[in-house]
Amino acid sequence: MSDVNLQGIGMTSRRTRERLIQRLREQGIASEAVLDVIRDTPRHIFIDEALAHRAYEDTALPIGFNQTISQPYIVARMTELLLEDGPCEKVLEIGTGSGYQTAVLAPLVGHVYSLERIRPLQEKARKRMSLLKLHNAKLRHSDGGMGWPAQAPFDGILVTAAPEVVPEELLMQLAIGGRLVIPVGGSGGQKLKRIRRTGENQFDTQELLAVKFVPLVSGTIR
Ligand code: SAH
């Protein structure tokens, strides 16, 4: 992976990336900070070479193990939703996958803690973090449904796989004032929610948009 071209050429060039930014703007992404990070993040290194020419299309793409790298619009929107209420020092991400969302979060927050249940995906993502010198991202192979108690509380938690109901553990690992951005629902359809912890046992939930994520699955794969 050390010989990858971070700048990109042809279909992964700066100009192609600029078209993606334009599209995200048209779709309502307004945060310049988020758009800047997406422009600067080489999405083509997060997917197989055979698909790299499609890296700057606004679409999810397969990354193996029946998983996908999230669509840029969704990554941008979830990041915006997490940061809208002000800066986050500590963020927990569940479902590292390719590491693309992790790489978008890292420059915008103090520290990212990211959990992935499939070991080979987690290891590849780790290599990408060091290639991009994102030293404030800490990755771990584990079942994210339990959160990361040793690092709690978090100012933000972002979940990129959908549980049928919001895991209680994640709510309890939010700092007061912290927010959880999470897709929720089963085969009948999922909704993206933002849940703010406003007090010890007080939560304020917003239901935002219909989304389609892979399911949150318990247990780990080596
Ligand atoms: N943000 C990622 C999306 C990956 S898809 C990206 O842009 O690449 C969702 C990921 O969540 C998959 O890699 C899947 O293995 C992982 N996942 C599903 N259930 C999980 C769980 N309980 N704990 C940790 N990761 C989980």
Side-chain angles (χ1 to χ4, degrees):
M1 205 178 275
S2 53
D3 59 347
V4 295
N5 184 333
L6 290 179
Q7 294 306 312
I9 46 164
M11 290 306 280
T12 61
S13 68
R14 187 119 202 131
R15 189 142 35 108
T16 313
R17 293 191 205 183
E18 204 54 56
R19 278 199 288 270
L20 171 63
I21 300 306
Q22 193 52 41
R23 187 187 151 101
L24 297 181
R25 265 189 219 286
E26 284 161 14
Q27 294 200 308
I29 304 299
S31 162
E32 292 300 327
V34 170
L35 290 168
D36 282 349
V37 175
I38 295 209
R39 183 186 292 108
D40 291 343
T41 304
R43 190 167 182 259
H44 63 278
I45 72 159
F46 291 84
I47 51 192
D48 281 351
E49 233 170 299
L51 285 172
H53 66 286
R54 300 189 57 194
Y56 300 97
E57 289 176 19
D58 188 22
T59 178
L61 292 166
I63 54 171
F65 302 88
N66 274 324
Q67 306 301 323
T68 53
I69 180 173
S70 307
Q71 179 191 353
Y73 171 75
I74 291 293
V75 171
R77 191 70 195 112
M78 287 176 84
T79 309
E80 255 188 359
L81 287 168
L82 195 77
L83 297 175
E84 236 163 37
D85 293 344
C88 284
E89 173 52 30
K90 275 182 119 174
V91 174
L92 174 66
E93 180 194 26
I94 317 278
T96 316
S98 67
Y100 178 64
Q101 170 80 72
T102 323
V104 170
L105 278 172
L108 295 167
V109 303
H111 292 272
V112 189
Y113 299 83
S114 186
L115 301 174
E116 170 56 54
R117 66 183 286 272
I118 301 176
R119 168 87 89 190
L121 289 179
Q122 193 257 343
E123 283 173 352
K124 272 199 204 174
R126 188 194 292 282
K127 287 191 187 129
R128 293 172 179 131
M129 294 306 122
S130 62
L131 187 67
L132 298 178
K133 302 189 172 63
L134 296 172
H135 304 302
N136 63 336
K138 208 170 149 107
L139 273 51
R140 196 165 95 161
H141 175 233
S142 83
D143 178 352
M146 298 290 132
W148 194 330
Q151 296 294 349
F154 298 97
D155 307 306
I157 302 180
L158 196 154
V159 186
T160 69
E164 298 216 359
V165 294
V166 178
E168 183 77 18
E169 287 80 0
L170 299 185
L171 293 173
M172 288 312 169
Q173 289 177 29
L174 279 176
I176 309 286
R179 49 269 186 199
L180 167 63
V181 176
I182 185 169
V184 186
S187 49
Q190 303 165 2
K191 282 278 161 60
L192 189 66
K193 296 187 179 188
R194 176 168 57 184
I195 304 171
R196 288 195 188 84
R197 187 173 196 177
T198 52
E200 192 55 37
N201 284 305
Q202 274 174 304
F203 296 90
D204 170 27
T205 302
Q206 288 170 283
E207 213 174 88
L208 298 150
L209 58 148
V211 286
K212 211 172 160 197
F213 280 85
V214 296
L216 189 80
V217 181
S218 57
T220 57
I221 294 179
R222 297 223 132 246

